[in-house]
Amino acid sequence: MSIDALATLSNRTAVDFDTDATIDEARRQLEICNACRYCEGYCSVFPAMTLHRAFSDGEITQLANLCHNCRGCYYACQYTAPHEFDHNLPRALAEVRVESWERFIWPRGVATLFQKSGVALAGALAAGIVVILVMAYALRPESGEGFYAVISHTVMATLFTLTSFLPLAIISVGVWRYWRHVGGDRVTLKHLSDALVDAGRLKNLSGGAAEGCNYEKEDRYTMARRWAHQAVMWGFVLCFAATVSGTVLHYGFGIEAPYGPLTLPKIFGIPGGILMTIGGIGLIGLKLRAEKSLGAPAVWGGEMAFVLLLTATAATGLALYGATGTAGVRPLLIAHLGAVFALYLTLPYTKMVHVPFRFAALVRDAQTRKA
Amino acid sequence: MAQAPAELSAPFWDLIVVGGGNAALCAAIEAAEAGARVLVLEGAPKPYRGGNSRHTRNFRCMHQGPISVLTGAYGEEEYFHDLMLVTKGKTDEHLARMAIRTSESCLPWMEKHGVRFQPSLSGTLSLSRTNAFFLGGGKALVNAYYNTATDLGITVAYEAKVSHILIEDDTFRALRVTFGGKELEISGKAVVLASGGFQADLEWLARAWGPAARNFLIRGTPYNRGEVLKNMLDNGALSVGDPTQCHAVAIDGRAPKYDGGIATRLDCVPFSVVVNKHGQRFYNEGEDVWPKRYAIWGRLVAAQPDQVAYALIDAKSADLFMPSVFPAVKADSISELAQKMELPVEAVERTVAEFNRACRPGNFHPTELDSLATEGLEPAKTNWARPLDTAPYYGYSLRPGVTFTYLGLKVDDTARVSGANGRYTNVWAAGEMMAGSILGQGYLAGFGMTIGTVFGRTAGREAAAHVN
Ligand SMILES: Cc1cc2nc3c(=O)[nH]c(=O)nc-3n(C[C@H](O)[C@H](O)[C@H](O)COP(=O)(O)OP(=O)(O)OC[C@H]3O[C@@H](n4cnc5c(N)ncnc54)[C@H](O)[C@@H]3O)c2cc1C
Ligand code: HEM
Ligand code: SF4
Ligand code: SF4
């Protein structure tokens, strides 16, 4: 199915935020910032903002996805409540951001369910485990070594190919619609490399000249969120590399799991899993301490469930390795695959979409940045 | 942070600092680092702590070569010369030079105590040599100092309003404070007064300025009402500065009565035709570049009926100045604009038509004095005079916005306050409270924070030395 065809599946091809109260509130606040500009050193949102005098819906959506919710601008703001300007830019942008994801991703409404409700996501996890359990017993292979004594490799591969293709296709369409909405230009290698560097360093959580963000200790700066996120992000990249290398070993060389400690899947997977688990636990702790009203409070539960799911996926993967050769393999494999299954299937509808959307926003920012 | 009145009145403090803005915090930090037990009494509730300092953007800093975010060099003589230009000589040279010289060592001190500066960005490049910009502005600076104060074990009480300074035989004994619904008397070995000017007390302004002052807008905090200043003057403290002087600029007429801060500034005047409520022009809008002429427009508008004026521009100029916080009134014709702004339509049409006729062809340069002047018009517009002829037309209302007052306490170069019989033994003052000594008139961007930092630190150090 082509991207265009998928896009027309959606009931709304052109997204129109005109009457949207969330966008209007963000616009009101951005206009105050644009007259003030005290915060221009914190992140890329402010330099991008000052390129405009009036803000179209697309520009606001772009700024919202560029915002890293570091909260520096909130604690520095002379106009926060009880001031009558009632300024809270991190929240206004967080709400636009989540709404933009919900609207760009097909089908609408599903995202609302998972973004807003941790219970729904926990339900997905439970369902994932049940599915894997049923598979494991119904399709128990006649023969097979190691992991594949629990579930045959073909079943596993088919299942994951299916469940990963659809979410990725849906997300691609969503991002493509985002790109059109924010007026993105032709992407060059330079734009991509700029965006990759910004994302890789998570530059916008550095606070500019400050030492980090104001996420969990009110107006004090810390690097904790940046480091925790780096751990999750790079851990995820490593785990992904582990999966790819495993696939190559399996199909290219006929070497089947479980892999020994000095094979690529393990060399990538173990540090990756450890980083993701530690980082995930870090993010959970930070999220519990941070002030909810400076993000989008309506999706706090869904976000928390997402981080938990991500962390659980990594942790069960690690535990599975640790349990090699013990009776723990069977339940851990089922739990791990269930988590992976739930994570993948809900991919377009959870906070996971922040990855492509924010990356697109960084690419767009690289395009508009002043020389 | 102190919660209960008993916590405050029980101990005998080494140093009590009155106020909770930049000057107060610099004093408190210096004194605490010298080992003093320090109490800070901030009259405002926590969200509004930091007075006018929370609205600031930068401070002006002398430097021999590039330091931190500052480029080039900015020496004592040039700095002093800039000060003389705005004050027209109304300055105490000795104190001014001390402030200027000390500013250089303030920058690293500020960084050491948590203040972060913004690397110079293209938009503000012209100021990156003389002024260091606080990352996030003055509120971020104030936050950093409160965190430092907390780490140093300084006690801070919010909503602690000081009304009386008890002085016996040139020596401070105690002060009277309203805190937690109680009237307390708190004693200490020394006091630093850093509670700002009196500009938020409209009645006081009206006494000095006349009733028109009740229509002024106050750009900064509503908590600087000058109670402490008044009490000290009643005590016989010597004053400097002129009570009728205040620094007022023309800001958006729709700004909040208090605390509108920087976002309510309007930079459109040089490109405008400015009329009063009768639709008449009253001053040369093109006299000089903004912001040099920024300050005088506060007084000009204050002198107009109802203390209001209206700046009218057309589509050609709409993007030539900083965006404003409130949207302009927009119309397709001058008469419609006048109508929407509730101005006399015919008078405005006549004024604009006369103005347009007086405009001459020539080269328009928005960023420099371009001598594109009107001919045969009274008052003339001597730069940027372009006819208003391109729809849509835009209008803003202007009102005087008071930044601060000049009347303050007389101090010496150790920031010690003088009474009728000479210096008090243990009373210091810093910041706006004594800034009039140096800045007797006019305003030099960034100098308010310089004075507060230099004299705040000096006061804290001297007071700590006194009690130790
Ligand atoms: C909008 C605006 C922008 C400005 N921008 C700049 C700039 O960029 N750079 C610059 O150098 N200057 C700027 N200024 C001027 C600058 O704000 C002042 O010079 C400086 O803040 C003075 O500091 P301060 O500590 O003396 O007073 P403040 O910061 O005003 O502090 C006074 C404190 O005293 C407290 N207080 C008042 N009365 C009492 C009482 N009775 N009991 C207890 N506490 C009391 C107040 O709550 C407040 O905390 C600006 C001013 C305004 C209004
Ligand atoms: C393009 C690269 C990425 C960018 C720019 C990015 C950016 C961000 C930002 C700015 C936040 C915090 C803001 C907010 O809470 O809204 C965040 C949170 C998070 N990101 Fe990323 N991210 C990227 C990639 C990833 C990857 C690959 C993962 C791993 C799967 C990941 C996992 C997370 C998690 C778990 C959170 C915490 C969510 C929470 O606290 O609610 N991110 N990311
Ligand atoms: S967040 Fe507040 S202080 Fe910062 S630029 Fe916006 S209005 Fe100004
Ligand atoms: S919350 Fe942080 S990233 Fe978002 S706009 Fe404010 S300063 Fe920028």
Side-chain angles (χ1 to χ4, degrees):
Chain A
M1 208 180 317
S2 77
I3 281 182
D4 279 279
L6 252 178
T8 49
L9 278 178
S10 163
N11 47 358
R12 289 159 54 108
T13 41
V15 182
D16 173 18
F17 288 100
D18 245 342
T19 54
D20 192 326
T22 313
I23 287 259
D24 285 344
E25 173 59 11
R27 178 177 289 120
R28 180 188 76 85
Q29 296 199 24
L30 285 166
E31 281 170 357
I32 297 174
C33 287
N34 212 14
C36 167
R37 301 189 178 182
Y38 277 15
C39 294
E40 69 186 6
Y42 280 117
C43 68
S44 308
V45 171
F46 290 86
M49 172 189 82
T50 56
L51 298 177
H52 308 282
R53 285 183 86 87
F55 300 95
S56 70
D57 293 349
E59 282 149 7
I60 291 175
T61 306
Q62 161 66 12
L63 294 173
N65 279 280
L66 200 53
C67 166
H68 280 39
N69 200 237
C70 79
R71 303 168 179 209
C73 65
Y74 176 84
Y75 288 106
C77 185
Q78 37 189 329
Y79 301 123
T80 52
H83 194 282
E84 63 190 85
F85 286 178
D86 193 17
H87 212 283
N88 183 346
L89 192 63
R91 177 179 182 153
L93 295 183
E95 289 180 339
V96 169
R97 190 158 64 235
V98 175
E99 275 192 30
S100 74
W101 301 340
E102 288 179 2
R103 291 178 192 222
F104 288 122
I105 295 281
W106 173 87
R108 288 188 67 189
V110 184
T112 316
L113 183 66
F114 290 111
Q115 298 273 18
K116 294 214 167 107
S117 165
V119 178
L121 207 54
L125 173 63
I129 292 176
V130 169
V131 169
I132 299 294
L133 212 59
V134 169
M135 295 280 175
Y137 282 89
L139 306 169
R140 184 196 293 271
E142 298 303 310
S143 64
E145 298 269 318
F147 290 169
Y148 308 124
V150 186
I151 305 175
S152 87
H153 182 266
T154 319
V155 168
M156 210 145 81
T158 313
L159 203 63
F160 282 98
T161 310
L162 275 178
T163 53
S164 53
F165 170 74
L166 199 60
L168 290 182
I170 289 172
I171 289 175
S172 307
V173 175
V175 174
W176 179 69
R177 294 172 67 198
Y178 172 85
W179 194 249
R180 291 212 320 190
H181 184 64
V182 304
D185 291 334
R186 170 177 293 277
V187 177
T188 67
L189 222 55
K190 169 92 171 90
H191 301 148
L192 280 179
S193 66
D194 283 0
L196 275 171
V197 170
D198 286 353
R201 297 170 45 221
L202 220 62
K203 188 189 105 200
N204 286 290
L205 270 182
S206 71
E211 274 108 64
C213 64
N214 292 143
Y215 190 72
E216 75 285 6
K217 279 192 171 175
E218 299 192 345
D219 52 30
R220 288 180 193 257
Y221 299 96
T222 86
M223 282 291 182
R225 191 159 209 235
R226 193 166 175 222
W227 297 147
H229 185 278
Q230 300 291 68
V232 172
M233 178 165 73
W234 288 105
F236 186 84
V237 170
L238 286 172
C239 290
F240 190 75
T243 313
V244 171
S245 60
T247 310
V248 171
L249 287 180
H250 183 96
Y251 290 104
F253 301 91
I255 308 170
E256 293 196 354
Y259 300 104
L262 285 178
T263 58
L264 282 181
K266 285 282 151 46
I267 290 170
F268 291 136
I270 291 171
I274 293 173
L275 278 175
M276 247 176 103
T277 309
I278 294 174
I281 292 170
L283 285 177
I284 291 165
L286 294 172
K287 202 172 184 65
L288 288 172
R289 271 184 278 154
E291 173 59 47
K292 278 186 199 171
S293 66
L294 306 188
V299 296
W300 190 91
E303 288 182 347
M304 185 54 110
F306 164 68
V307 192
L308 281 164
L309 179 58
L310 200 61
T311 311
T313 308
T316 51
L318 269 187
L320 184 59
Y321 173 63
T324 306
T326 72
V329 168
R330 186 178 293 263
L332 278 171
L333 181 64
I334 287 168
H336 180 62
L337 291 181
V340 175
F341 190 70
L343 190 67
Y344 256 80
L345 214 56
T346 58
L347 215 55
Y349 311 110
T350 64
K351 188 162 187 166
M352 197 64 189
V353 292
H354 83 282
V355 180
F357 278 92
R358 285 188 196 276
F359 188 72
L362 290 171
V363 175
R364 177 65 191 143
D365 188 54
Q367 293 184 337
T368 58
R369 217 170 285 170
K370 279 186 255 185
Chain B
M1 198 178 115
Q3 311 285 348
E7 275 178 70
L8 297 190
S9 35
F12 188 73
W13 301 96
D14 288 332
L15 174 63
I16 305 175
V17 178
V18 181
N22 173 56
L25 295 164
C26 288
I29 291 169
E30 279 282 3
E33 284 182 344
R37 272 168 54 97
V38 182
L39 170 66
V40 171
L41 299 173
E42 161 61 294
K46 192 177 175 197
Y48 284 125
R49 69 182 183 184
N52 280 354
S53 301
R54 56 192 281 282
H55 287 296
T56 62
R57 179 199 293 256
N58 58 43
F59 94 116
R60 189 174 286 252
C61 184
M62 178 185 115
H63 52 109
Q64 315 289 349
I67 50 168
S68 185
V69 295
L70 289 167
T71 54
Y74 186 48
E76 180 179 335
E77 289 314 315
E78 187 186 354
Y79 196 149
F80 186 70
H81 176 75
D82 288 346
L83 180 65
M84 291 305 277
L85 280 184
V86 298
T87 58
K88 309 242 170 22
K90 279 198 186 173
T91 189
D92 178 324
E93 177 162 355
H94 176 65
L95 294 183
R97 286 192 182 271
M98 176 204 151
I100 290 170
R101 271 196 296 273
T102 317
S103 69
E104 188 168 24
S105 66
C106 283
L107 192 141
W109 186 89
M110 294 162 86
E111 285 181 327
K112 194 174 138 225
H113 293 93
V115 177
R116 295 288 166 263
F117 291 94
Q118 193 178 293
S120 70
L121 296 174
S122 49
T124 50
L125 206 64
S126 58
L127 281 171
S128 65
R129 188 173 68 87
T130 56
N131 290 48
F133 286 67
F134 316 133
L135 177 71
K139 188 170 171 196
L141 168 139
V142 163
N143 290 343
Y145 284 156
Y146 274 102
N147 286 329
T148 303
T150 306
D151 295 347
L152 287 169
I154 293 170
T155 304
V156 177
Y158 297 107
E159 300 183 62
K161 209 172 94 182
V162 176
S163 56
H164 185 72
I165 316 287
L166 197 84
I167 293 181
E168 289 166 5
D169 307 327
D170 298 333
T171 300
F172 156 75
R173 301 286 174 202
L175 34 77
R176 205 167 300 142
V177 190
T178 319
F179 179 67
K182 284 206 167 66
E183 277 268 319
L184 309 177
E185 200 167 284
I186 306 178
S187 45
K189 292 181 195 161
V191 70
V192 171
L193 307 175
S195 52
F198 66 86
Q199 64 279 353
D201 185 346
L202 288 175
E203 287 311 312
W204 191 341
L205 279 185
R207 279 198 299 281
W209 255 80
R214 293 200 184 89
N215 280 337
F216 291 1
L217 303 174
I218 310 302
R219 300 175 71 210
T221 181
Y223 297 95
N224 285 3
R225 302 175 54 83
E227 297 100 333
V228 174
L229 178 62
K230 178 162 187 314
N231 184 254
M232 284 301 290
L233 296 178
D234 291 348
N235 273 336
L238 297 188
S239 69
V240 290
D242 178 350
T244 68
Q245 285 281 329
C246 68
H247 180 261
V249 300
I251 59 171
D252 195 306
R254 296 160 293 181
K257 187 76 181 167
Y258 294 98
D259 261 335
I262 194 72
T264 61
R265 85 161 117 34
L266 262 183
D267 294 351
C268 61
V269 166
F271 310 116
S272 310
V273 168
V274 180
V275 298
N276 61 18
K277 73 171 221 180
H278 301 306
Q280 309 296 340
R281 284 179 69 243
F282 53 89
Y283 199 80
N284 175 6
E285 304 90 341
E287 186 176 58
D288 206 343
V289 283
W290 219 248
K292 264 195 201 140
R293 287 290 125 195
Y294 187 38
I296 88 158
W297 278 86
R299 296 184 157 264
L300 291 171
V301 175
Q304 294 304 310
D306 291 351
Q307 293 71 52
V308 61
Y310 302 87
L312 315 176
I313 60 170
D314 71 353
K316 298 195 298 293
S317 304
D319 288 345
L320 295 179
F321 51 94
M322 277 280 289
S324 58
V325 70
F326 300 106
V329 177
K330 187 174 166 187
D332 290 323
S333 67
I334 292 291
S335 61
E336 189 193 338
L337 186 65
Q339 211 165 15
K340 280 188 171 173
M341 299 188 79
E342 293 174 23
L343 288 169
V345 175
E346 275 160 39
V348 172
E349 278 188 315
R350 205 174 326 113
T351 301
V352 171
E354 277 171 15
F355 174 82
N356 285 357
R357 262 199 307 280
C359 289
R360 290 291 163 262
N363 291 327
F364 171 77
H365 292 294
T367 52
E368 53 190 82
L369 295 172
D370 63 0
S371 304
L372 187 57
T374 55
E375 225 172 75
L377 188 70
E378 193 48 48
K381 183 174 181 184
T382 50
N383 288 288
W384 313 293
R386 290 194 300 177
L388 296 193
D389 57 9
T390 314
Y393 299 92
Y394 301 93
Y396 296 95
S397 62
L398 297 168
R399 280 191 183 278
V402 180
T403 316
F404 52 75
T405 45
Y406 292 105
L407 180 72
L409 300 178
K410 181 176 166 53
V411 296
D412 62 10
D413 58 11
T414 65
R416 192 116 58 108
V417 180
S418 288
N421 313 319
R423 304 189 314 171
Y424 293 113
T425 44
N426 59 351
V427 182
W428 285 264
E432 235 165 66
M433 191 95 200
M434 44 62 66
S437 312
I438 302 176
L439 208 51
Q441 180 186 320
Y443 179 60
L444 187 60
F447 203 45
M449 293 299 276
T450 307
I451 295 173
T453 310
V454 169
F455 283 87
R457 290 184 59 200
T458 305
R461 205 174 44 239
E462 296 283 335
H466 171 83
V467 300
N468 278 342

